[in-house]
Amino acid sequence: MKKQHTYILITMVIILYSCNKTKKTEPVQAPIENIAYKKQVIYQVFTRLFGNTNTTNKPWGTIEENGVGKFNDFTDKALKEIKDLGVTHIWYTGVPHHGVIRDYTKYGISNDDPDVVKGRAGSPYAVKDYYNVNPDLAVNVENRLEEFKALIERTHHEGLKVIIDIVPNHVARNYQGLTNPEGVEDFGASDDKNVTYDVNNNFYYNTKEAFKVPAWKDGYTPLGDEKHLLEDDYFDENPAKWTGNGSRLSQPNFNDWYETVKINYGISPEGKKDFEELPAGFENEDYKKHFEFWKDKTVPNSWKKFKDIALYWIGFGVDGFRYDMAELVPVEFWSYMNSAIKMKNPDAFLMAEVYNPSLYRDYIKKGKMDYLYDKVQLYDTIKHIMQGFGKTDNIPPIQDDLKDIEHHMLHFLENHDEQRIASPEFAGSAKKGKPAMVVSATISTSPTMIYFGQEVGEPAAEDAGFGKPSRTSIYDYVGVPHLQRWVNNKQFDGGQSTEEEKTLRDFYKRLLNFTINSSALAGNYQDIHLFNRENTENYNDKVLSFVRWSTDEKLIVVSNFDAEKGYGFNLKIPKDLIETWNLKDGNYKTNDVLYNGFSSNLTVKDGVGSINIKLDALESFILKIQ
């Protein structure tokens, strides 16, 4: 997608909506003509798990016991099937080389200490070498960069874009670059360790103290029952560095991110910023102006290191990044790095975790982020509804609150940090995700993200070791059973999938493919839920409805979140919307675009529309007006 289209969209929304925001039934978005882009879908895949066909799933199991997937498992056939699911981008999670409990010393890679590694396979968010990739993912470890390059090329050949992680807030305690480009030195290599803080130090130090391994709790030991040679409650780090989540303790807590160390971005321990801030009003400037602003400025060393890392991978063929915990890093740094990325690739796809809604606009406008997780508002609200407690009445106000930035809010129902929908701890059934998925994927112009295995109802029931059930482990070697049945010994054809799994995947395929081809879903939105709550008999807080439209497509979306009951009602379309659509009194045929099995007439009488709806439990319709 071209960025100028985004800016046109957001500008029109702000200007036109501000003139008409008094009526409850007014459009959240003003009409937009000549849509030049469509919605995007990101498939997040945990790279080392996707192609693993081993079903042993022994807690803390080794690669030999539990298996591991490789870059090469993403064959042309696998990538074609992912593309055909309705995907535009793949986020290959866990690609940069992070700490692993496996001996790769014959390849020049130092061993990692279990006392500062979570799980046997290690956390992908404790990166050990930013200029190389996880050796576990390669068939030939010596050629691991070449194997990843080949994967990028295969992915591009299928018409998909490639996203990988960058984790700017912290690195692994045992960071060691093996293939740094000429002139690049490791984090901390030139730090003055005699001071707690210096603007150009990469880390913060407790100058007179050595690092101590956390005190383990509740019977925990690294690697479970196995006693590793390096497992001795000791890791040589003197002086001690501050821990990734901000803990300043030389002996961090068991619940701290003790496997990582925090990066210093030029902010003193007292909170003073030792760098220039953006001028007033600069949030309204484009990335080119931001890039020019920083060209003659002196910036902290850590800024340069991460900018160089990002530009290295852009040059390698990567199309974008997912930034971990971006709000822990100053927004000025994001302006500096993201503008540099956009100068090299204006279409780079930049998405980030920011969980504080009060910071959203700064990180989008000043930090030049393309997309932020819509977690604490839409995701958390929908999850509550799926669990049977929340009300759909709480969704329209979220869209209203985010109306000026809704295009920048990434929607999801699963990712590696969140519980699987089908797990008992979340909803207990993948079917309960169907109405939520329809709403999440169609309510705004934002991209949609799904997590591998979500489309076949993976419940994450395995106890892999450090990672516990309800979330597919990101720390250990494990199989993903529901996905493995679809992988079918690397045939990638669903040959072992149950009928229920096939039906669910078909639903996702229909929905996602519709979203990336619909002009209406890249266009206008208006809530009709609150209007129907006040005016429609039998319409209730388990149902949600809204409309989407463009110049050539008009959609009515209605979903039933109730897992037990169906509902019938005469859905109302308010007068102002009928006028906007320029519909005269009469009958207009509508058809469901998901399954083409439901059709009904939209009747317009005295300028108000109505359509007879009968929804089964957990059923949704996307009705297109003919």
Side-chain angles (χ1 to χ4, degrees):
M1 170 178 43
K2 302 296 184 185
K3 288 305 295 178
Q4 57 263 38
H5 298 143
T6 301
Y7 294 130
I8 291 169
L9 167 62
I10 296 301
T11 302
M12 291 180 70
V13 170
I14 295 169
I15 294 172
L16 293 173
Y17 180 83
S18 64
C19 298
N20 296 282
K21 63 180 182 179
T22 55
K23 297 179 182 178
K24 184 189 303 183
T25 58
E26 288 279 341
V28 169
Q29 249 176 244
I32 298 163
E33 306 297 329
N34 301 320
I35 300 300
Y37 59 84
K38 300 290 176 65
K39 280 173 68 77
Q40 299 166 99
V41 173
I42 300 94
Y43 189 79
Q44 183 194 0
V45 57
F46 207 83
T47 313
R48 70 165 172 250
L49 302 185
F50 178 79
N52 181 21
T53 57
N54 187 309
T55 59
T56 302
N57 286 343
K58 173 186 174 183
W60 302 99
T62 64
I63 283 179
E64 290 74 19
E65 292 167 323
N66 284 0
V68 70
K70 305 288 186 180
F71 290 134
N72 289 357
D73 292 330
F74 292 90
T75 62
D76 292 339
K77 175 67 160 62
L79 292 167
K80 182 181 186 301
E81 291 297 327
I82 292 172
K83 172 76 179 302
D84 289 350
L85 188 63
V87 171
T88 59
H89 295 65
I90 300 184
W91 165 17
Y92 290 112
T93 306
V95 167
H97 182 183
H98 56 79
V100 298
I101 306 302
R102 185 171 175 80
D103 190 340
Y104 286 112
T105 53
K106 68 179 180 180
Y107 302 103
I109 300 170
S110 61
N111 279 328
D112 292 301
D113 190 331
D115 291 307
V116 289
V117 175
K118 290 179 177 176
R120 183 180 294 277
S123 168
Y125 298 104
V127 176
K128 178 178 177 176
D129 182 354
Y130 259 115
Y131 288 100
N132 219 309
V133 297
N134 182 0
D136 281 348
L137 302 176
V139 173
N140 184 339
V141 175
E142 289 178 318
N143 293 331
R144 58 195 184 278
L145 276 171
E146 289 80 1
E147 289 187 24
F148 181 52
K149 181 74 169 180
L151 172 58
I152 293 174
E153 292 171 354
R154 289 197 303 276
T155 306
H156 286 165
H157 184 262
E158 290 300 329
L160 294 161
K161 300 290 189 180
V162 173
I163 299 168
I164 65 169
D165 295 280
I166 287 185
V167 189
N169 180 64
H170 49 273
V171 295
R173 296 207 99 93
N174 188 29
Y175 192 92
Q176 181 185 41
L178 294 181
T179 54
N180 293 348
E182 186 176 353
V184 172
E185 64 177 20
D186 280 356
F187 287 95
S190 297
D191 279 9
D192 179 358
K193 300 179 182 180
N194 296 309
V195 296
T196 298
Y197 164 81
D198 182 273
V199 65
N200 285 313
N201 275 0
N202 297 139
F203 304 126
Y204 299 91
Y205 296 93
N206 292 339
T207 57
K208 301 183 185 303
E209 298 177 7
F211 171 79
K212 293 182 180 179
V213 171
W216 309 129
K217 295 181 179 180
D218 302 322
Y220 170 85
T221 57
L223 306 184
D225 294 333
E226 178 185 335
K227 186 68 176 178
H228 191 276
L229 287 174
L230 294 177
E231 184 190 335
D232 54 6
D233 293 331
Y234 175 78
F235 179 75
D236 185 12
E237 180 183 290
N238 195 357
K241 304 180 183 80
W242 292 9
T243 294
N245 63 320
S247 172
R248 303 183 183 188
L249 300 174
S250 296
Q251 183 179 26
N253 188 277
F254 179 45
N255 294 317
D256 288 328
W257 304 348
Y258 61 80
E259 78 279 23
T260 68
V261 289
K262 185 169 181 61
I263 297 291
N264 164 24
Y265 279 89
I267 298 180
S268 74
E270 298 76 32
K272 178 178 176 291
K273 292 182 176 181
D274 285 327
F275 48 81
E276 292 206 42
E277 298 188 54
L278 294 169
F282 225 66
E283 65 273 14
N284 300 316
E285 302 291 352
D286 64 13
Y287 69 84
K288 294 178 183 179
K289 288 287 184 67
H290 281 246
F291 180 76
E292 289 297 321
F293 174 80
W294 293 110
K295 279 178 69 173
D296 62 351
K297 304 297 187 297
T298 300
V299 299
N301 180 264
S302 296
W303 292 30
K304 299 175 186 177
K305 278 188 164 60
F306 269 104
K307 180 197 73 173
D308 290 345
I309 288 165
L311 295 182
Y312 168 83
W313 287 111
I314 290 291
F316 200 82
V318 167
D319 301 295
F321 304 106
R322 180 269 190 185
Y323 298 130
D324 184 78
M325 296 306 294
E327 68 192 86
L328 298 182
V329 177
V331 72
E332 292 86 356
F333 161 75
W334 293 115
S335 164
Y336 169 81
M337 185 166 86
N338 287 342
S339 64
I341 292 170
K342 292 290 188 180
M343 291 298 292
K344 192 163 186 177
N345 179 4
D347 296 320
F349 188 101
L350 307 176
M351 64 176 181
E353 282 183 298
V354 174
Y355 291 149
N356 183 347
S358 69
L359 298 177
Y360 286 169
R361 288 159 183 83
D362 273 356
Y363 278 76
I364 292 167
K365 297 177 181 181
K366 292 182 180 180
K368 298 306 168 193
M369 296 293 187
D370 292 325
Y371 306 106
L372 306 180
Y373 280 27
D374 194 348
K375 185 207 181 289
V376 299
Q377 290 176 283
L378 187 64
Y379 169 83
D380 285 349
T381 300
I382 285 184
K383 181 175 182 178
H384 205 212
I385 296 167
M386 292 165 68
Q387 292 175 321
F389 307 117
K391 296 181 178 183
T392 54
D393 300 348
N394 295 321
I395 292 179
I398 293 171
Q399 294 307 112
D400 185 65
D401 182 58
L402 298 174
K403 59 183 174 289
D404 61 319
I405 56 169
E406 59 88 23
H407 178 68
H408 296 279
M409 303 308 296
L410 178 77
H411 289 185
F412 63 89
L413 295 181
E414 287 189 1
N415 63 49
H416 68 276
D417 285 321
E418 307 298 343
Q419 295 169 324
R420 293 283 195 175
I421 295 167
S423 69
E425 294 83 356
F426 187 157
S429 167
K431 292 179 180 178
K432 292 183 180 179
K434 293 174 76 172
M437 194 65 209
V438 169
V439 170
S440 180
T442 65
I443 200 169
S444 82
T445 64
S446 66
T448 302
M449 184 171 74
I450 69 167
Y451 190 37
F452 82 122
Q454 178 181 342
E455 71 274 24
V456 288
E458 172 59 36
E462 290 67 42
D463 182 356
F466 191 91
K468 297 304 178 186
S470 83
R471 294 173 177 85
T472 297
S473 176
I474 67 170
Y475 304 104
D476 289 286
Y477 304 111
V478 68
V480 184
H482 283 54
L483 184 79
Q484 288 174 320
R485 290 194 284 273
W486 177 81
V487 168
N488 188 27
N489 294 317
K490 303 185 184 180
Q491 298 301 305
F492 307 104
D493 60 3
Q496 298 178 40
S497 296
T498 67
E499 288 304 313
E500 187 174 10
E501 290 163 4
K502 290 177 183 177
T503 299
L504 185 65
R505 193 175 191 278
D506 177 68
F507 161 78
Y508 274 88
K509 188 173 184 177
R510 289 170 180 268
L511 174 62
L512 296 177
N513 273 286
F514 175 76
T515 67
I516 63 174
N517 289 295
S518 167
S519 62
L521 296 184
N524 306 281
Y525 159 87
Q526 180 170 329
D527 166 59
I528 59 171
H529 172 78
L530 299 178
F531 180 83
N532 278 277
R533 285 284 278 138
E534 294 179 356
N535 296 285
T536 301
E537 187 177 359
N538 293 329
Y539 187 96
N540 58 63
D541 60 15
K542 297 296 183 183
V543 176
L544 185 73
S545 60
F546 52 87
V547 296
R548 303 297 311 278
W549 77 95
S550 63
T551 54
D552 60 355
E553 189 176 47
K554 298 177 181 66
L555 304 175
I556 301 168
V557 182
V558 56
S559 290
N560 177 17
F561 284 80
D562 198 314
E564 305 296 332
K565 298 178 183 177
Y567 299 103
F569 43 81
N570 201 26
L571 187 72
K572 306 293 192 309
I573 310 298
K575 189 172 184 177
D576 68 295
L577 184 58
I578 295 297
E579 291 175 354
T580 298
W581 284 354
N582 197 29
L583 297 181
K584 308 303 181 184
D585 283 8
N587 292 320
Y588 300 85
K589 187 177 180 181
T590 69
N591 290 317
D592 175 44
V593 298
L594 274 181
Y595 290 100
N596 299 313
F598 177 84
S599 63
S600 184
N601 283 332
L602 168 64
T603 299
V604 178
K605 184 178 180 181
D606 297 329
V608 177
S610 65
I611 182 169
N612 190 40
I613 299 289
K614 188 177 186 304
L615 286 169
D616 290 336
L618 300 177
E619 189 171 28
S620 298
F621 295 135
I622 303 176
L623 299 174
K624 183 175 181 178
I625 301 174
Q626 302 302 306

